[in-house]
Structures are given as structure tokens and as C-alpha cells.
Amino acid sequence: MAGSKATDLAIDHHHSAPIHGVSALRVLPDEGGTRNWDRIIVDERIKSRLLSHALLALAHEKEFYALPGALQRLVILSGPPGTGKTTLSVGLAEVVSYELADKGDTCLVEVNPHALPSEMLGESQRNVARLLDTSLPELSLRYRHLVVVIDEVESFAVRRSSASFEANPIDVHRASDAVLEGMDRLMKRCPNVLVVATTNFPNAIDEAFTSRADLVLSIAIPDVETASKIIAQSLDELAGIWSEIRALADDKALHRQLAQACKGWDGRQLRRLPLKALSENKELALSPERLQAEHLHRATTI
Ligand SMILES: Nc1ncnc2c1ncn2[C@@H]1O[C@H](COP(=O)(O)OP(=O)(O)O)[C@@H](O)[C@H]1O
Ligand SMILES: [Mg+2]
């Protein structure tokens, strides 16, 4: 994940200065609507808990500010890769921005911990400190609500007991303490900030980090029901372009058969099933409208 420098530096248009470790800034609501939230198909209870928790934290910041320790504005989403955690975190900022629009804008900040090199712990510590103590507090003054997505936080908050890279364990301690303390300071100073952290490896995260979260949700590999819906959604999108595919997009029995054949697939793989089928041969690639159920069945086996 050697992200290029260009994508690791987001330009803050007010200052036109790049912010280290921030890969994107979006002021919401914007023309993107809630498309990231809508595209992820998960158990409704997960979406509903996530949204309610975010609203509780952001809509009553003053009340909770007066009650120290009452509510941590940190949410953790954990689960295998490709299950929609990153998309859902970004989507959460989108829906929150609509729910709270009458109070003011929501700024979405996507943090890329990979941009804060861990092999140079001293340097990394300074970058983390700058991000948590300066850049994010500045943004929180400028926008009514701030949703900070820390994607793949394991590279940021390495569990002390399992830190395996060749660094002095004392430095690892120090770096991870710096992150935790920085997070605490950020939460204390900036009541209008909600942090959503995602992780592919829940076991790699420091317990001191998870214990700071009031809500830790695990996102699982889709069950057959959910998988059918993901396949249906993906076919539906294609049918929007090639109307000949409409019959396949509406065939619920077919979606179910395909889902059953794709047990254990993650959301990303399920979504790509129709594209996988289309790339099976030259004729289909050139004329996607010729897609048939048999092509989809075949794509589940290769
Ligand atoms: N439950 C899901 N429903 C619909 N699409 C999904 C789902 N999970 C993953 N995807 C698709 O896979 C892509 C990658 O998801 P992502 O949010 O990056 O997952 P993660 O962060 O868990 O690795 C998304 O853009 C989305 O299109
Ligand atoms: Mg992700």
C-alpha cells in the first residue's frame, strides 16, 4: 500500500496547503448525495445503530461535553477486507450531513494512516501529532460537524503486544501512546468531531484503542440473503445501461442460486460477479447485452 505522495496529500482549499496524512476532504451534503451509504447492503440493524450513534454524538455535543466520559465519539468498524467498511464510513458522513443539515455543514476528512510512515517512528509521531493536534482541530473550528474516517487504523494503532516490525519496542509503545493521547486530546478539545475507524484485522488493534470506542461493530461476509441482493443490485446497474439485461436483473431465483454458489465471497467479489461474467469472452465484452444466466453461473466457478 505504497500510496503515492500525490494522493496522500489532500488540498485544503481554504488554506490551499496540503494536510499530511489526509487523503480527501469533502464538505457535505454535496452532489454525491448518499450514494456510498445506499450502495452498501448490510443488515439494517448495523446501519441503524451506526447512524443513531453518530447522531447522538453530534447532535448533543454541548450536553455530552458537560458530562466528561459520558460518550466517546469514536466508532470502530471491523471485518474482513471487501465487506464495505470504508464505503460505509464515508456513507455515514453523507447521511449524517443530511440529518444535521439544519444545524450546518459536515466536513468529511479521510485519513490515510499509510501516509504516516511507521518505519520512521519519530517522524510518524510528529506527523500524527500535527494531524491530531493542529490540522483536525483547525478544521473542526471551520465546520459545524467533522467526521474523521481513519481507514485501516491497525497501521496507526499497532497493538503493543504484537508489534512485529523491526523497531525498538519502546519506540512502538511511544508511537502508539502518542496516537491514543492525541485522540483523547482531539475528542476533549473538539466536541463536534466524530471519528470512525475501520480495521481489517481487529486483533492487531491496541486494546487501549478499542476500549475508547463506545461502539465496535463487526461487519461479516454477506449471508446468502444479502449476497443475492448485492448480485441483484449489480445486475440492476448494468440493466440501466443495457436494457436487454433487465430480465436477469429481475430474476430473484437466479440471484439466489448464484449467491448459494458464491458462499464465502465478500461484497466486493459479489458485486463484480456480472463483470467477471462479461469478461469471459470477446463477444460478451463487446456486446454485454448478450449476457445470459449461464455466463453468470460459469463466473461463480472460475
Ligand atoms: N455489503 C456490500 N454491499 C454492496 N457492495 C459491497 C458490500 N461490501 C462491499 N461492497 C463493494 O465492494 C467495494 C469495496 O468495499 P470497501 O468499502 O472498500 O470494503 P472494505 O473497506 O471492508 O475493504 C465497495 O465499493 C462496494 O462496491
Ligand atoms: Mg477498506
Side-chain angles (χ1 to χ4, degrees):
M1 271 270 190
S4 77
K5 273 277 176 269
T7 57
D8 292 340
L9 299 177
I11 303 299
D12 174 353
H13 292 285
H14 293 266
H15 277 177
S16 20
I19 304 176
H20 259 285
V22 168
S23 53
L25 274 188
R26 258 171 85 194
V27 181
L28 303 170
D30 68 5
E31 69 285 348
T34 56
R35 61 163 179 231
N36 287 297
W37 182 257
D38 300 334
R39 84 186 283 165
I40 297 301
I41 301 171
V42 281
D43 188 328
E44 270 311 311
R45 284 170 298 184
I46 289 187
K47 278 193 177 177
S48 135
R49 290 242 17 226
L50 199 51
L51 178 57
S52 315
H53 189 86
L55 294 177
L56 183 66
L58 288 173
H60 309 287
E61 61 181 59
K62 287 203 193 70
E63 291 83 345
F64 286 121
Y65 201 51
L67 284 178
L71 185 77
Q72 277 295 349
R73 280 167 279 104
L74 169 65
V75 175
I76 298 177
L77 296 183
S78 77
T83 48
K85 302 178 300 294
T86 303
T87 314
L88 208 51
S89 308
V90 169
L92 178 64
E94 293 170 347
V95 274
V96 158
S97 76
Y98 282 94
E99 293 286 344
L100 301 178
D102 56 338
K103 294 173 188 271
D105 284 346
T106 297
C107 179
L108 162 67
V109 184
E110 292 181 67
V111 172
N112 176 5
H114 296 286
L116 304 162
S118 57
E119 71 276 11
M120 295 163 62
L121 286 166
E123 175 70 11
S124 164
Q125 236 169 298
R126 271 192 297 282
N127 286 337
V128 169
R130 195 183 323 148
L131 182 69
L132 297 175
D133 291 331
T134 309
S135 312
L136 295 177
E138 274 176 17
L139 286 170
S140 82
L141 292 176
R142 214 172 305 143
Y143 299 97
R144 186 64 187 79
H145 313 103
L146 201 64
V147 176
V148 178
V149 174
I150 304 183
D151 207 16
E152 302 188 8
V153 71
E154 60 271 12
S155 54
F156 207 66
V158 182
R159 184 187 195 152
R160 287 161 238 230
S161 52
S162 74
S164 61
F165 46 85
E166 290 176 34
N168 182 340
I170 295 172
D171 287 345
V172 174
H173 258 273
R174 247 187 242 135
S176 105
D177 282 343
V179 173
L180 296 175
E181 285 161 16
M183 294 261 314
D184 280 344
R185 281 194 302 276
L186 175 70
M187 303 276 188
K188 283 210 184 80
R189 282 173 65 192
C190 312
N192 60 334
V193 176
L194 176 77
V195 177
V196 187
T198 78
T199 175
N200 293 329
F201 306 101
N203 292 338
I205 308 193
D206 199 305
E207 296 85 353
F209 190 87
T210 40
S211 70
R212 278 167 165 81
D214 279 338
L215 184 61
V216 181
L217 287 175
S218 26
I219 316 281
I221 292 287
D223 58 16
V224 171
E225 188 85 13
T226 308
S228 314
K229 288 186 192 155
I230 297 173
I231 293 169
Q233 184 193 47
S234 182
L235 283 169
D236 185 66
E237 283 172 10
L238 289 183
I241 311 173
W242 294 284
S243 56
E244 295 85 346
I245 295 178
R246 177 52 58 198
L248 293 179
D250 291 342
D251 187 345
K252 291 212 171 76
L254 169 68
H255 308 155
R256 202 172 175 82
Q257 284 167 6
L258 294 168
Q260 257 148 0
C262 297
K263 281 218 178 90
W265 288 29
D266 63 44
R268 187 200 309 266
Q269 292 169 319
L270 289 163
R271 234 192 120 72
R272 288 189 181 156
L273 178 70
L275 293 180
K276 198 174 166 194
L278 287 179
S279 59
E280 180 192 281
N281 64 53
K282 210 165 65 176
E283 286 70 31
L284 265 182
L286 291 172
S287 311
E289 70 277 4
R290 293 194 199 160
L291 184 69
Q292 301 294 326
E294 68 193 81
H295 302 122
L296 291 164
H297 281 298
R298 201 146 52 224
T300 66
T301 64
I302 48 173

